[in-house]
Amino acid sequence: MADTGKTAKLERRAAFAAFLFLAVFGYFWVGLNPFPDPNATSLSTPYGGTSNVLNQLIVIAMSAVVLHTVLQSPARHLLLRPYGLLICLLVWLLFTGLFAGDPSAAFRRIVFAILVCLCANAVLLIPRDGQQFAKLMCIGLTITTGLSYFGVIALPHLAIHQATDALEQSLAGDWRGHFGHKNVAAAAMVYAVFFGFYIAKAGQGRLGILIALSAGFFVLHAGGKTSAAMLPAILLLAWIFERWTGFGTLLLVGGLVSLNAMLLTAAMSSSFSALLASAGIDPTFTDRGSIWRLALSAIAERPILGYGFQSFWQTDALFNSGQAMTTWAVTAANSHNGYVEQLINGGIPALVMVVIWLVILPIGYARRALAGKNDVALTRLFLRIWLFSLFLACLESPFFGNSGPIWFTMLIAVFGLRLQANAGLVVSAPSSPALKASLDPSSPVDALVILKSR
């Protein structure tokens, strides 16, 4: 009887963990308002400022449950690592928030950003084992991908950009699914392709391939040229990284530096823009050049402190500035470059810490993970997501995006690479909740929970 009661208790815990996992995943990949009205006035609200009281309460409640659940786990010490760097970044953003136009709004957004990090890290620690993680991801992606296709078929006026939309009528015909914009939809579907490949390797072959193919087809119809072009490039780069890690690191760092240098130079130099135009390249990169010129001009005035976390774009101060008379870029929602956005948020110190957290440290994590004895398919998944996100950030602003799937999924990859770097092959005994480390390379990989941490 005692064993029966214990088994029932474990089953209830597993069911609750599955529910919580899907709830967190659904919040970021579907949201509280799927298929948003393309003519809603909220489309022009400030970056990071679309939250309402109900949304805030839901996030706080969800985060509290997530935190409580993870604190009951033997892996609780792995939450929000590395502590030191993240605490320094948090303190700096709080300090720069004092100089924002609306410090209280900046502080609220910082708190929200912390909760997003908590939820993304917890997604890796809540599942019982690797098999449950793969199955739950399969369920979540089947629902979200299917929802987008349902929208395209049954609600085309909401799921496909229209010429009658309040903003960006030129995107008419591009699929956006249940997301608010085709660029978000395209990036999310690229992630879904990566997840699909992983799910196929994890034992759900047909479903994994179906998810990958349907997501890839959606990317092509979303009109996200950046995401569509990057998908095969990232698969190739990840393949190189796995086999020749040093060369892959060189390609990654060199690619990020070169691409950002080219983009920002084109925005500031007319001669370089003309050179790109002569080569058949749009030197404005779909009119992002105007945004970058405005951003770089603003950064030059406050290079150390920045303007406070998510406190520059679409503010009254910017709308009423003298530049409002000379460029449309004052209406932009963000910098359309994640690295430039950190200079806007918190100046050079913020950019340095974010680059260390999201670029430099994960390079080391990836090298150790690929050299270690762990689930190679899981490491490959995190590697692909991480690489894609870093290059996407050259043309979009995914870092610290407090809603939507992009930043949340990138965080899963960054935290996941750190876990994989410190992981060994792990087995879970069916009759015991304790996990045992195994040095045998042939052992099954059944757990995401890491038994050692550096």
Side-chain angles (χ1 to χ4, degrees):
M1 291 295 292
D3 288 343
T4 302
K6 187 176 181 180
T7 300
K9 185 177 181 180
L10 291 175
E11 289 177 351
R12 287 196 298 271
R13 286 182 179 179
F16 177 75
F19 170 79
L20 184 58
F21 181 101
L22 292 174
V24 173
F25 183 83
Y27 175 81
F28 290 100
W29 272 71
V30 178
L32 302 178
N33 182 34
F35 303 110
D37 182 0
N39 296 303
T41 56
S42 60
L43 293 175
S44 59
T45 54
Y47 176 55
T50 57
S51 183
N52 53 43
V53 174
L54 176 61
N55 184 58
Q56 294 170 3
L57 292 175
I58 289 175
V59 172
I60 292 172
M62 180 176 70
S63 301
V65 174
V66 164
L67 181 60
H68 174 76
T69 302
V70 173
L71 289 179
Q72 306 305 309
S73 165
R76 55 185 173 272
H77 64 289
L78 300 173
L79 191 63
L80 296 178
R81 302 286 295 270
Y83 303 138
L85 177 61
L86 294 182
I87 289 173
C88 289
L89 179 58
L90 171 62
V91 170
W92 179 254
L93 291 178
L94 288 171
F95 173 70
T96 58
L98 295 172
F99 304 93
D102 185 353
S104 62
F107 294 152
R108 285 197 304 271
R109 292 165 190 166
I110 291 171
V111 171
F112 202 106
I114 295 171
L115 298 181
V116 174
C117 291
L118 168 67
C119 290
N121 198 175
V123 161
L124 298 169
L125 303 177
I126 289 175
R128 179 184 61 251
D129 52 39
Q131 289 298 315
Q132 187 184 36
F133 175 76
K135 289 178 181 178
L136 291 174
M137 273 297 179
C138 184
I139 294 171
L141 289 165
T142 299
I143 293 172
T144 54
T145 305
L147 185 61
S148 280
Y149 272 100
F150 167 79
V152 169
I153 296 170
L155 303 169
H157 61 292
L158 296 177
I160 301 176
H161 283 281
Q162 306 290 321
T164 56
D165 290 352
L167 301 174
E168 299 183 293
Q169 294 85 356
S170 61
L171 302 181
D174 291 338
W175 293 6
R176 60 185 169 202
H178 64 276
F179 304 99
H181 194 276
K182 60 103 174 178
N183 286 344
V184 176
M189 290 301 172
V190 170
Y191 290 142
V193 171
F194 297 152
F195 278 118
F197 289 153
Y198 165 69
I199 290 167
K201 285 287 187 180
Q204 304 289 326
R206 292 182 180 179
L207 277 175
I209 294 301
L210 179 61
I211 289 171
L213 290 177
S214 60
F217 186 77
F218 200 102
V219 171
L220 296 177
H221 286 80
K225 294 184 289 294
T226 300
S227 295
M230 284 175 55
L231 175 55
I234 293 302
L235 291 174
L236 176 60
L237 178 57
W239 182 85
I240 293 172
F241 208 105
E242 281 190 54
R243 286 154 181 80
W244 305 285
T245 308
F247 182 49
T249 300
L250 181 63
L251 289 178
L252 168 61
V253 175
L256 289 176
V257 172
S258 301
L259 183 55
N260 277 295
M262 181 187 73
L263 296 173
L264 300 180
T265 300
M268 302 302 294
S269 171
S270 57
S271 59
F272 189 70
S273 295
L275 179 63
L276 291 179
S278 66
I281 301 174
D282 174 14
T284 71
F285 298 94
T286 59
D287 219 9
R288 289 176 172 87
S290 299
I291 300 173
W292 294 333
R293 282 192 293 274
L294 174 60
L296 293 175
S297 174
I299 291 166
E301 295 180 6
R302 300 178 66 171
I304 303 301
L305 293 177
Y307 292 82
F309 189 71
Q310 297 181 357
S311 299
F312 176 76
W313 299 102
Q314 293 189 341
T315 59
D316 290 339
L318 185 59
F319 286 145
N320 296 327
S321 67
Q323 291 176 320
M325 303 295 293
T326 60
T327 176
W328 69 269
V330 295
T331 65
N334 54 68
S335 300
H336 281 279
N337 183 297
Y339 308 98
V340 171
E341 188 70 15
Q342 302 323 303
L343 290 170
I344 291 284
N345 283 340
I348 294 173
L351 174 63
V352 170
M353 285 185 278
V354 167
V355 168
I356 292 173
W357 178 31
L358 300 180
V359 182
I360 296 176
L361 289 180
I363 288 175
Y365 301 155
R367 293 170 69 95
R368 296 209 308 271
L370 292 169
K373 297 176 180 179
N374 52 40
D375 186 349
V376 176
L378 191 59
T379 299
R380 184 180 298 128
L381 168 67
F382 296 147
L383 179 66
R384 288 168 172 173
I385 292 173
W386 170 62
L387 291 173
F388 174 80
S389 303
L390 291 181
F391 282 99
L392 180 69
C394 296
L395 290 163
E396 302 293 343
S397 294
F399 305 157
F400 300 103
N402 289 344
S403 62
I406 300 179
W407 173 237
F408 170 76
T409 308
M410 181 183 183
L411 284 173
I412 290 176
V414 172
F415 288 124
L417 281 174
R418 190 183 191 283
L419 294 179
Q420 289 295 96
N422 298 296
L425 288 169
V426 177
V427 295
S428 56
S431 60
S432 171
L435 297 174
K436 299 177 181 179
S438 172
L439 299 177
D440 180 5
S442 65
S443 299
V445 182
D446 279 336
L448 285 171
V449 179
I450 310 307
L451 300 182
K452 57 180 180 175
S453 177
R454 298 170 186 162

